[in-house]
Amino acid sequence: MNHEIESEICEISVDPVKVANGEVDDDGRSRRTGTVWTASAHIITAIVGSGVLSLAWGLAQLGWIIGIATLVIFSGISLYTSGLLAECYRAPNSVKRNYTYRDAVKNYLGGRKYKALGLVQYTLLCGAMVGYTITASISMVAISKSNCYHKEGHKAPCKYSYNPYMMALGIVEILLSQIPNFHKLSWLSTIAASMSFSYAGIGMGLSFAKIVSGHGEKTTLTGVEIGLDLTAADKTWRIFQAIGNMAFACSYAAILIEIQDTLKSSPPEQEVMKKANTIATFTATTLYLMCGCLGYAALGNHAQGNILTGFGFYEPFWLIDLANFFIVVHLLGAYQVQLCFSKLNMKRCGKFLHVNV
């Protein structure tokens, strides 16, 4: 039985008694319990990843003026478009819901486009999952290196392979994905979101300490300057890469409707989702600006792709370990949240069909 048929059965096989008793929603699916705060946590978990630590590098490529302006502009665009997309959850003058981003594309733009969208969406999802696994393994290796240097000395040959860590992470993710009703565990997003604030806070704290100590590196209004170590072509490439990173950091449209589908029906979902969009976007943008600006001011034009590595693997080693541990925990949660929302409709509907068909 395909997805479209299952969705139709879910919508028409509604038990009025269960709806009246509050056991299910008006479409016959499990009662939604999401609030503006759970939706905000889901959004923050999805968009605030370890990429926040690369924003100092982005500012180093663009400079103070263009870098900050780019972040603010993309955040504004994301807030505007997410508000429009929130209105697509329910069809105009109808109670019919669009449970996923693909459903909305199909109902508003047509059948062929939603199939193409599904291919693109799941391709991006696979890419994101690979990125999460690689980034988490890098953080785990960083912890091992930090501890090795602390015990054996700064000149010790501390080299580790990423492969065992990636395999271990894959096994853990497979086990976590077996938890039933995973989409109802809103605490997962809360923990993951708190982890992102924690490691970003450590990065900002280390940056602030370096700035106030008077050891901040050189910064410029236009970013890294073209010279012997940087050609005009390399500078152009880095600029576009930095702009792309910032645009990607602000976007979460692919899972917005799936998050909206977790909200209670009253008050209206679109109103609650718009508030969640505002809270999450403002929070994420503030965090981005603070982390990027402090990191750039501390590390200057030599800022690396991860500001934590800009402070080395040595001291304070325990703080670097803690930050990398927070990154691993966050990515474990973000991995599951992304997968959960990609298959949320099927899991809910499948459960309903098992009981009522």
Side-chain angles (χ1 to χ4, degrees):
M1 186 177 294
N2 61 34
H3 171 69
E4 291 82 8
I5 295 177
E6 288 179 350
S7 295
E8 291 176 3
I9 294 177
C10 283
E11 291 180 359
I12 64 176
S13 301
V14 180
D15 188 338
V17 177
K18 289 186 177 181
V19 175
N21 293 336
E23 298 179 23
V24 296
D25 275 332
D26 55 5
D27 59 348
R29 298 193 175 190
S30 301
R31 174 65 68 177
R32 297 164 176 81
T33 59
T35 64
V36 63
W37 300 113
T38 61
S40 299
H42 288 320
I43 296 172
I44 292 173
T45 300
I47 62 175
V48 180
S50 57
V52 67
L53 301 177
S54 69
L55 292 176
W57 178 88
L59 284 178
Q61 311 313 310
L62 299 174
W64 285 112
I65 298 176
I66 298 179
I68 294 176
T70 300
L71 264 177
V72 173
I73 290 172
F74 279 125
S75 294
I77 293 173
S78 178
L79 180 60
Y80 176 73
T81 55
S82 62
L84 296 177
L85 190 56
E87 294 287 352
C88 297
Y89 177 64
R90 289 183 184 268
N93 303 319
S94 173
V95 297
K96 177 179 173 58
R97 304 170 188 258
N98 291 312
Y99 300 108
T100 65
Y101 188 73
R102 289 182 64 201
D103 288 341
V105 171
K106 178 183 179 182
N107 292 329
Y108 286 102
L109 299 180
R112 292 185 178 179
K113 294 181 180 179
Y114 102 97
K115 292 180 180 178
L117 180 278
L119 178 62
V120 173
Q121 190 174 19
Y122 282 101
T123 300
L124 292 175
L125 179 66
C126 291
M129 299 303 100
V130 171
Y132 285 175
T133 302
I134 294 175
T135 304
S137 65
I138 291 174
S139 293
M140 295 175 72
V141 169
I143 293 174
S144 299
K145 283 186 177 181
S146 176
N147 292 334
C148 176
Y149 287 131
H150 180 70
K151 293 179 181 179
E152 306 296 334
H154 295 178
K155 296 183 179 181
C158 299
K159 295 183 179 180
Y160 297 90
S161 172
Y162 297 103
N163 295 334
Y165 295 100
M166 286 190 285
M167 289 187 288
L169 286 165
I171 293 172
V172 172
E173 297 293 3
I174 291 174
L175 295 176
L176 289 177
S177 66
Q178 305 307 309
I179 299 177
N181 298 324
F182 206 87
H183 59 278
K184 293 185 178 180
L185 303 182
S186 59
W187 55 265
L188 175 70
S189 286
T190 303
I191 292 176
S194 65
M195 291 297 101
S196 63
F197 283 108
S198 298
Y199 62 70
I202 291 174
M204 289 187 289
L206 291 172
S207 299
F208 182 75
K210 187 171 183 178
I211 294 170
V212 297
S213 66
H215 295 95
E217 303 291 339
K218 176 185 176 182
T219 64
T220 57
L221 291 177
T222 57
V224 180
E225 299 174 345
I226 298 174
L228 296 177
D229 297 329
L230 183 68
T231 65
D234 290 335
K235 170 73 172 180
T236 303
W237 173 255
R238 289 188 180 186
I239 288 175
F240 283 113
Q241 186 177 358
I243 293 174
N245 289 344
M246 292 180 181
F248 184 76
C250 298
S251 175
Y252 58 96
I255 61 172
L256 183 146
I257 290 184
E258 285 82 351
I259 294 175
Q260 191 170 351
D261 193 42
T262 66
L263 297 174
K264 293 184 290 188
S265 299
S266 180
E269 299 93 348
Q270 68 270 22
E271 295 181 7
V272 177
M273 195 62 192
K274 288 180 180 180
K275 292 180 181 179
N277 290 335
T278 302
I279 293 172
T281 302
F282 177 80
T283 303
T285 303
T286 301
L287 183 65
Y288 288 165
L289 289 173
M290 291 180 63
C291 198
C293 291
L294 287 174
Y296 183 40
L299 302 176
N301 290 336
H302 297 291
Q304 300 183 22
N306 184 331
I307 63 173
L308 294 177
T309 60
F311 300 100
F313 295 99
Y314 309 135
E315 302 297 338
F317 84 99
W318 60 271
L319 192 59
I320 302 298
D321 285 356
L322 189 62
N324 282 292
F325 172 75
F326 287 155
I327 291 175
V328 173
V329 174
H330 173 259
L331 291 176
L332 285 172
Y335 190 109
Q336 292 299 321
V337 168
Q338 290 275 7
L339 287 180
C340 176
F341 284 121
S342 70
K343 59 184 179 181
L344 180 57
N345 186 41
M346 294 297 291
K347 291 180 69 174
R348 276 183 171 168
C349 193
K351 181 178 179 181
F352 179 81
L353 287 170
H354 178 72
V355 175
N356 295 282
V357 177

